[in-house]
Amino acid sequence: ISNLFLPFFFFSLGTGSNILSSLQDLFWLSKSKVEKQLQIISVLQWVLTFLIMGVACTLILMYILCTDCWAIAALYLAWLVFDWNTPKKGGRRSQWVRNWAIWRYFRDYFPIRLVKTHNLLTTRNYIFGYHPHGIMGLGAFCNFSTEATGVSQKFPGIRPYLATLAGNFRMPILRDYLMSGGICPVNRDSIDYILSKNGSGNAIIIVVGGAAESLNCTPGKNSVTLKNRKGFVKLALRHGADLVPVYSFGENEVYKQVIFEEGSWGRWVQKKFQKHIGFAPCIFHGRGLFSSNTWGLLPYSKPITTVVGEPITIPKIENPSQKEVDLYHSMYVDSLVKLFDKYKSKFGLPETEVLEVN
């Protein structure tokens, strides 16, 4: 157990090679074994962050308020009130956090790869439509909220902002952690600010299918929830931001999920959560911490390849009509399907595979 958890303290220190050499000296393990353990720990900490960090930090803060250290919690809460609107104004990204060695081990666990197909002009703003959602959007996080796959080198001058549930930014500590990676709330205020008051060269990544799409993700299935998702197109038109289709091959392969049929009690509960809270509880599993043959919270180490497609030039129309929204939405869907068809065989899918657009 010590071999698994002590390495965590090395993650923010120096380079990945320094971490490896330190741990090899400490535990007399081979380089490959140390690397594998670091990869597992890096993914485990992120999964736990995704699932429990917000609630855990809230409970800890409440507990501290009831102890002799209440002043620390009170000072943080005062800061929270003062800083409340920062997520809506582009957040507070940290290049130091985005470049942590831990994210490179996170990348290599699967591995995750970012593929660039076209250049992006720094004089334009962009809305990336990310598909599919998967269970946790692992590819979206690694590629656009960290520098592990070299997004800043592949798209120089472009600032990526991964948009996620606004409710996450009401959670103490978690909100600051998310902002450090360049993550913003997926609401109109935040997107309007970034696209209109933050200059050019901004790229907002929206996981278009959202919670509804996550309910249907399962290994071997390539489907997206997109037919009636047109709000992101309307936002693009209002700001003249170019639309960029993005498809992540392998995103649905890393977890197995229990799929409830339409009309079942399980699907009813999921939809109620989705409607009132913003996310849908999924019953899923990956591999165990110590063995890939047992069930657990760790995702399976399956390759995820995220392909960023060709931008669609969008005119600026402050009040677009429904006809105009439908036109550019149709262009976007066609572009996404073409992107999928062009690259599917390169990343392990048969030529006969068809992208299902729901």
Side-chain angles (χ1 to χ4, degrees), residues 5 22 92 175 206 266 282 341:
F5 290 100
S22 298
R92 187 170 46 246
R175 66 188 293 277
I206 299 176
C282 303
D341 289 339

Side-chain angles (χ1 to χ4, degrees), residues 162-299:
L162 177 60
T164 188
L165 288 175
N168 289 325
F169 296 89
R170 301 187 188 102
M171 300 285 189
I173 311 299
L174 175 63
R175 66 188 293 277
D176 301 288
Y177 191 37
L178 294 177
M179 284 194 291
S180 68
I183 301 178
C184 69
V186 62
N187 58 34
R188 181 168 171 175
D189 289 344
S190 178
I191 295 172
D192 282 347
Y193 183 92
I194 293 170
L195 295 180
S196 63
K197 298 179 181 179
N198 203 40
S200 60
N202 302 292
I204 297 179
I205 298 88
I206 299 176
V207 186
V208 178
E213 191 171 86
S214 70
L215 296 179
N216 295 313
C217 71
T218 188
K221 185 175 183 180
N222 289 283
S223 66
V224 296
T225 302
L226 183 57
K227 280 185 179 178
N228 297 315
R229 299 292 174 111
K230 300 180 180 180
F232 72 106
V233 178
K234 189 172 184 178
L235 279 170
L237 285 165
R238 290 181 64 246
H239 294 284
D242 294 348
L243 288 170
V244 182
V246 179
Y247 197 85
S248 240
F249 295 90
E251 184 72 65
N252 284 346
E253 307 300 315
V254 296
Y255 279 111
K256 295 179 181 179
Q257 181 184 188
V258 177
I259 304 293
F260 293 102
E261 297 295 329
E262 290 292 339
S264 67
W265 67 268
R267 183 54 64 99
W268 180 84
V269 170
Q270 288 176 323
K271 287 187 173 181
K272 286 296 181 182
F273 266 83
Q274 178 189 338
K275 180 179 179 180
H276 297 293
I277 301 178
F279 73 92
C282 303
I283 299 177
F284 65 92
H285 73 85
R287 53 155 290 183
L289 181 60
F290 300 103
S291 171
S292 59
N293 296 320
T294 58
W295 288 10
L297 289 176
L298 279 177

